[in-house]
Amino acid sequence: MSKHSFRVCFFFSRRFRTNAAEAPEDVKMMFNKYSKHGTMNIDQLRTFLEEIQGETSETKAEDIFNSLKHLNIFQRRGLYLEDFFRYLLGDLNLAFPHCQGVYQDMGAPLSHYYIFTGHNSYLTGNQLYSKSSVTPIIRALKRGVRAIELDLWPTSKNNGIEVRHGRTLTSPVSLIKCLRAIKDHAFTASEYPVVITFEDHLNPELRKEVAKMVNETFEDMLYVPELEDLNKLRSPESLKKRVLISAKPPKNKKGESTKEKPSTDKQRDIADDDIWGSVRPQEDVDEDDLEEDEDEDVAVPEYRKLIAIHAKKKKPGLNLQAFLNDTESVSRFSLSEQALEKATKDYGRDIIRFTQRNLLRVYPKGLRLDSSNYNPMLGWTHGAQMVAFNMQGYGKYLWIMQGMFRGNGGCGYIKKPDFLLNNLDHKPSNSRSSSSTMIRRLTIKVYMGEGWNSEFGLSHFDFYSPPDLYVQIGIVGVRDDTTTERTATIQDQWVPVWNAKFSFSISTPELALLRVIVRDHDTSGKDDFAGQTCLPVKELRSGIRAVPLYSKRGEKYKHVKLLMSFEFE
């Protein structure tokens, strides 16, 4: 036990005792049950792992003993209670192990997977006047993002190509820098394919230049489809370490650039949303919604050949339902978050059928100038593979996105639930699981937490006392699975002990995520953030487990973690 002093004014200070992390009563009971005379040998540890933790690995107990060699456990032939407690809070006992690796079937078509997708991947900040750079592209790829969006525009003299957010004050970055950054970092976090979506605002001559850049940059990494492959999507497994281009095939008149005439529906959206006059985010007019000239005399064949996934637009006046049920070709179609919400009310099943064979990309509405995000669940429950997110900031929806794609080894691809691929006899917004591994209820106990005094400054949370920490915990998923609880607030403690138990019913575990947020209660203002994590429920390990927490921006803290238990029914 140590003491911390907080200066209140010039002549006075307050002292607080900081308790050392101590094993909770449940841990003591488990240790006493599986040990003898205060020591747990390797066979007893192996029994604990099998009966309580659900682990049957023959070498796991040996690995744990080897990791604790500095405690001289081989001289005393076993673990003391403190050793056992430190193991439970250590990296060999995580609720969500990073070493699990890819375990899902990766041999199905791309349309059968959720794909970790970025929006305006080159922007460093807001959508109106921030800088464009390769830095956010590299950061996204290192975190496992598999779909990068680049907006292609001609330079001011119309003799080069730059990447920028059109009709805004954002600065440009050269296309070649973006392509090289993608090549160098595409497979740092995952060997599964990277999709580059081009939003193309170029003339035919510049498209030829793009084709040359792409070919010279990626060489053998680039997947160039055969003509017969355009009517089917290959699997992530067959496309390992390959880069795919997705764009709308050009259909220009000779010597003319693509016209920027939005369709009638999109014009109406712009009229509703446009508060910036001539300066407005180009994403209000998605490339898939732009009108085109019908003459295909000059289609830039070298550019068109690169496009592995064709983006498709709905012609003005065509009924959305008829468009979605067009099965002649495989394509990618884009909808804004608002358009998706509207479409799902009338055409929910048609959207799901469309996504069984095609790709659906959902993008943030244009008024999200601060690079905020939207709830991804509506897109996911309707089969949308590419729910495009702004990765520049933070917030609960981005944490949910990061949590979803921590699954399946963090490879950037998550297999969609079977009920979205086969059975449509359900309401998409309130889906029921058809999984062979059913999870009806998850019971969680939050024991304690530690590490804040090592991660943060003494007065980070409060100038005059240690933090008053509490935990918000809940399930994020389909409508029936969305609920949140919270622990009591433990005052003036760097090592809070809650011993709080919660139980959550779960109808659709395939889309259920455990969301945990720790906050410091502040009586005079907004509660301070103290850590968060979001994890796929189906990949949580049962038993008493360590749960590391992350910063607002999704960076893992070195020391801050919770001790929790998980029990599935």
Side-chain angles (χ1 to χ4, degrees), residues 540-553:
L540 291 173
R541 297 196 294 177
S542 61
I544 302 173
R545 301 291 181 179
V547 180
L549 298 185
Y550 295 77
S551 70
K552 286 183 177 180
R553 297 191 177 277

Side-chain angles (χ1 to χ4, degrees), residues 320-561:
L320 179 61
Q321 186 176 29
F323 172 81
L324 293 171
N325 288 302
D326 177 10
T327 59
E328 290 184 6
S329 61
V330 171
S331 62
R332 171 177 65 84
F333 179 55
S334 294
L335 286 172
S336 70
E337 58 174 291
Q338 296 159 306
L340 176 70
E341 184 176 358
K342 181 179 178 181
T344 55
K345 293 177 181 178
D346 298 319
Y347 308 118
R349 287 176 175 79
D350 298 294
I351 292 173
I352 294 175
R353 287 193 188 91
F354 178 82
T355 61
Q356 290 175 345
R357 187 165 178 259
N358 303 274
L359 298 182
L360 176 60
R361 174 178 170 268
V362 183
Y363 58 93
K365 62 183 179 182
L367 285 182
R368 293 191 180 277
L369 301 177
D370 58 351
S371 292
S372 61
N373 288 299
Y374 51 99
N375 190 341
M377 279 295 167
L378 183 64
W380 288 337
T381 56
H382 286 83
Q385 299 88 351
M386 305 176 78
V387 179
F389 259 38
N390 296 308
M391 304 290 177
Q392 304 94 326
Y394 55 85
K396 65 177 182 179
Y397 293 134
L398 185 55
W399 298 340
I400 291 170
M401 177 67 67
Q402 292 169 344
M404 169 68 91
F405 286 99
R406 287 190 179 110
N408 200 26
C411 73
Y413 287 83
I414 304 291
K415 189 77 179 294
K416 294 199 297 186
D418 288 342
F419 61 78
L420 291 176
L421 300 174
N422 303 311
N423 177 26
L424 295 184
D425 295 327
H426 68 282
K427 294 181 180 180
S429 61
N430 190 25
S431 304
R432 291 288 174 179
S433 173
S434 58
S435 171
S436 57
T437 305
M438 298 300 296
I439 300 173
R440 294 299 186 189
R441 182 169 295 276
L442 171 60
T443 300
I444 298 172
K445 191 166 185 178
V446 184
Y447 291 111
M448 57 165 293
E450 68 167 12
W452 288 278
N453 56 330
S454 300
E455 200 82 41
F456 302 99
L458 185 65
S459 59
H460 175 85
F461 296 106
D462 196 317
F463 285 113
Y464 308 116
S465 67
D468 306 321
L469 297 173
Y470 65 90
V471 181
Q472 290 178 310
I473 187 166
I475 301 296
V476 177
V478 301
R479 188 175 58 217
D480 283 357
D481 295 344
T482 301
T483 184
T484 302
E485 303 284 354
R486 62 163 286 177
T487 68
T489 299
I490 305 300
Q491 294 185 336
D492 301 332
Q493 280 296 330
W494 288 105
V495 185
V497 178
W498 293 284
N499 285 321
K501 193 172 185 178
F502 307 99
S503 187
F504 303 98
S505 61
I506 299 175
S507 66
T508 309
E510 298 93 336
L511 294 176
L513 300 164
L514 173 69
R515 183 165 171 248
V516 179
I517 305 175
V518 181
R519 299 187 190 276
D520 166 54
H521 179 64
D522 192 338
T523 57
S524 61
K526 186 178 180 181
D527 292 350
D528 296 319
F529 175 86
Q532 61 85 21
T533 191
C534 195
L535 302 170
V537 165
K538 285 195 69 176
E539 296 192 34
L540 291 173
R541 297 196 294 177
S542 61
I544 302 173
R545 301 291 181 179
V547 180
L549 298 185
Y550 295 77
S551 70
K552 286 183 177 180
R553 297 191 177 277
E555 297 162 350
K556 185 180 176 182
Y557 289 132
K558 292 182 180 179
H559 306 286
V560 180
K561 61 184 65 174

